[in-house]
Amino acid sequence: SAAEPVTVRIDRIGAEGDGIGVLPDGRAVFVPLTLPGELVRARLVAPRAGGWAAILDALLEPHPDRITPPCPHFGACGGCVLQHWEAAAYQEWKSGLLRNALHRAAGPGTHADLAAVLAPLQSTPPGARRRMDLAVRRTRGKPLIGLHRHRDAMIVDLATCMVLQPELVALIQPLRDLLQDISGLRAAGSVAVNLLDSGADLLLRTDRSLTRSDRAALIAFARAHDLPRISWAERDADPEPVCVFRPPVVTLSGVTVTPPAGAFLQGSAAGEAAIVTAVLSGLPDPMPSRARITELFAGCGTLTFALAQHANVAAWEGNEDAATALRSAARRAPLAHRVEVQQRDLNRQPLLPAELAGSAVVVLDPPHGGAAAQMPAMAAANCSRVIYVSCNPATLGRDARLLQTAGYRVLAATPIDQFLWSARLESVVVFGR
C-alpha cells in the first residue's frame, strides 16, 4: 500500500538520477536523493512506469560515497539531484549514461568496441553556467523566483545557486525586488537570462501586459545593473525589446552574433568549447577539397562558424529568429562565402535523402527530444560520416539505433558534463560507415 513505509536496498541510480530498488513483489521503487548500496526507508507516493515513485523517509545505511551537498537548497530544488555523491563515483555514473545509451543502440557484443572509442568525461566546474531559466510565481502578493521542486509545480525561492556564474546569482534578489512592483505579473511568469559577452541579456515573460510604469521600472533596472537589453513577452508570444542600451552579442568561433532574446546557447563557455573540439576532431582528415558539411539544427551558429573553417557549410535551422541571427552574422563573417543558411522546421519537414546526398559530413545538434523525424532520411542518405551532438542520452540512443542498423558504427564518443549534478548529459558521437 502507498501509505505504508517500505525498507529497500538501492541497487543503482537510474537515468533520471533517482535511486532504484526492488520491492518484495518485484516492482521497482524510485527514491530520489539516495545512492547505490544504501538501505533506506521510503514512502510510496504515486505509481510510476514499472513501479512506484517514493520519497526518502530515513537513511538506514548510508554509503561511504555520500557527501554533504554544498548548496543549501539541495533536496528541495529540482535543478541538482546528485550533489550528495562523491565526485569520482558521480562522474563514472555520468559517463555510463552515454555508454549505456550506445550499448542499447548497438545491441549485444559491442561492449569491447565502445570501450576503445569512449573518451573520458569532460566536466564543467561549478559556477560556470551562463544561462538561467527561472520560474516566477506571485504568492500572497510576493514574487517567488527560482526552480521547481523535484517533480513538483512548487517553486523553490532561490537565494543562491552553485552552478550559475556569480554575475547571474547576483541578479536573483534584485529581480525579486523588481518583480514585486511589476503589475504585468499577476500570477506566474518566467525569467531567462543569457550572460553574453556584452552582459546579461534578460527576457521576462508575464501573464498580463506591461503598464507604462512597468516598462519604466525595467529600463531603470537595465541601467542600474548594466544590462545590454531587456525583452518582454506576454505568455508565449514573440518577445519584443523593452530597451537596448548596446548590442547584445556573443562570440562564436571568432564571429560576433546578436542572438534573439532568450536564445538557446550552450550552458557554459567551457561546455561549448568541449563540444566544438569534439565535433571538429570527428571530421574526416583530410577533408575532401570542395567538401560540403550539412549542419542540422544550427541555432545561432555555435558550430557553424567552426565548421566553416574546414568546408562549405549548409546550415539548417527551424526557428526564424535564430536563423535570421545566424544569417546576419554569417554575412559579416570572414568566411561568409562558405556559409549558406536555410530556415526549415526539420521535425515537420525533414531533409530528404537526395538533399543530404553529396555531404561529406552531416552534423546535427537537435533539441532534447532528438531528431526522430529526420533520422530515417539520414540513415538512407549514405553519407560517410555523421556527427551527433546530444543533450539527452535516451533520444540519442533511439536515434543511434537507426544509424547502427543502416551500417554505421561509432568512431568516437565524448561525454561532456555541463549540466553539473543533474541527470542530463551532453555528448558528441561520431558515426562512420
Side-chain angles (χ1 to χ4, degrees):
S1 146
E4 296 286 324
V6 297
T7 299
V8 64
R9 180 78 65 181
I10 301 300
D11 297 325
R12 59 191 173 90
I13 302 296
E16 295 180 31
D18 296 337
I20 302 177
V22 180
L23 296 172
D25 64 6
R27 286 180 298 174
V29 59
F30 302 87
V31 191
L33 312 179
T34 58
L35 293 178
E38 292 186 329
L39 187 68
V40 305
R41 189 169 66 241
R43 278 182 289 137
L44 310 181
V45 291
R48 185 170 156 186
W52 283 91
I55 55 174
L56 180 63
D57 199 41
L59 196 58
L60 305 179
E61 291 179 14
H63 193 276
D65 286 341
R66 178 174 284 272
I67 61 172
T68 302
C71 180
H73 297 298
F74 180 75
C77 174
C80 295
V81 294
L82 292 163
Q83 274 190 10
H84 59 302
W85 206 357
E86 183 272 329
Y90 158 77
Q91 289 168 358
E92 173 58 29
W93 174 81
K94 262 281 165 94
S95 285
L97 292 176
L98 175 56
R99 184 171 55 244
N100 294 340
L102 294 176
H103 282 165
R104 286 193 298 271
T110 60
H111 294 211
D113 295 346
L114 282 177
V117 298
L118 187 64
L121 181 75
Q122 300 192 32
S123 295
T124 303
R129 188 166 175 79
R130 63 182 176 189
R131 178 186 175 91
M132 68 176 179
D133 286 283
L134 302 179
V136 179
R137 179 163 295 144
R138 199 180 286 285
T139 303
R140 297 198 272 295
K142 292 186 175 181
L144 301 178
I145 181 167
L147 297 176
H148 291 105
R149 289 181 176 271
H150 190 58
R151 296 206 177 88
D152 198 325
M154 295 291 291
I155 293 173
V156 177
D157 203 31
L158 289 186
T160 188
C161 177
M162 305 299 297
V163 301
L164 290 175
Q165 290 204 22
E167 196 173 331
L168 293 178
V169 177
L171 283 175
I172 295 175
Q173 183 56 46
L175 279 168
R176 190 179 285 112
D177 297 338
L178 167 73
L179 294 170
Q180 175 69 50
D181 299 319
I182 296 293
S183 57
L185 178 71
R186 179 174 54 186
S190 66
V191 177
V193 188
N194 278 322
L195 190 54
L196 307 179
D197 298 348
S198 51
D201 182 33
L202 189 150
L203 169 61
L204 172 66
R205 291 186 182 274
T206 63
D207 50 359
R208 280 205 304 204
S209 295
L210 297 182
T211 64
R212 185 173 296 175
S213 63
D214 288 344
R215 291 177 182 272
L218 289 170
I219 292 167
F221 184 87
R223 288 189 193 278
H225 297 278
D226 196 27
L227 307 189
R229 174 176 67 180
I230 290 183
S231 306
W232 166 81
E234 187 171 353
R235 302 186 190 275
D236 294 325
D238 291 336
E240 62 178 70
V242 174
C243 57
V244 183
F245 287 112
R246 59 184 177 276
V249 296
V250 64
T251 304
L252 301 174
S253 297
V255 174
T256 300
V257 179
T258 303
F264 169 80
L265 297 172
Q266 290 298 338
S268 68
E272 177 189 296
I275 291 166
V276 170
T277 297
V279 168
L280 295 183
S281 68
L283 296 176
D285 185 20
M287 281 288 284
S289 62
R290 299 187 180 181
R292 185 177 91 241
I293 296 172
T294 298
E295 183 192 7
L296 309 179
F297 309 96
C300 297
T302 297
L303 299 171
T304 311
F305 301 113
L307 293 169
Q309 295 169 22
H310 298 268
N312 294 319
V313 179
W316 298 81
E317 167 57 37
N319 179 275
E320 182 179 1
D321 291 337
T324 300
L326 175 55
R327 191 178 291 116
S328 177
R331 287 195 191 110
R332 300 189 304 272
L335 294 167
H337 62 286
R338 284 194 167 189
V339 178
E340 178 191 359
V341 181
Q342 302 275 2
Q343 187 205 335
R344 182 151 142 190
D345 185 336
L346 299 175
N347 293 310
R348 295 184 177 181
Q349 191 184 1
L351 266 65
L352 301 173
E355 295 174 289
L356 293 165
S359 303
V361 185
V362 177
V363 177
L364 68 160
D365 184 2
H368 193 257
Q374 183 61 67
M375 294 314 292
M378 294 266 295
N382 216 13
C383 300
S384 61
R385 189 154 302 190
V386 173
I387 304 176
Y388 194 130
V389 182
S390 165
C391 64
N392 183 349
T395 54
L396 167 66
R398 177 201 68 202
D399 294 346
R401 189 175 300 119
L402 265 177
L403 293 177
Q404 305 255 28
T405 303
Y408 288 87
R409 61 189 180 89
V410 177
L411 304 180
T414 306
I416 300 164
D417 186 15
Q418 67 165 341
F419 308 112
L420 193 62
W421 295 315
S422 78
R424 294 180 63 193
L425 178 72
E426 197 82 31
S427 307
V428 179
V429 183
V430 182
F431 296 92
R433 56 183 304 170

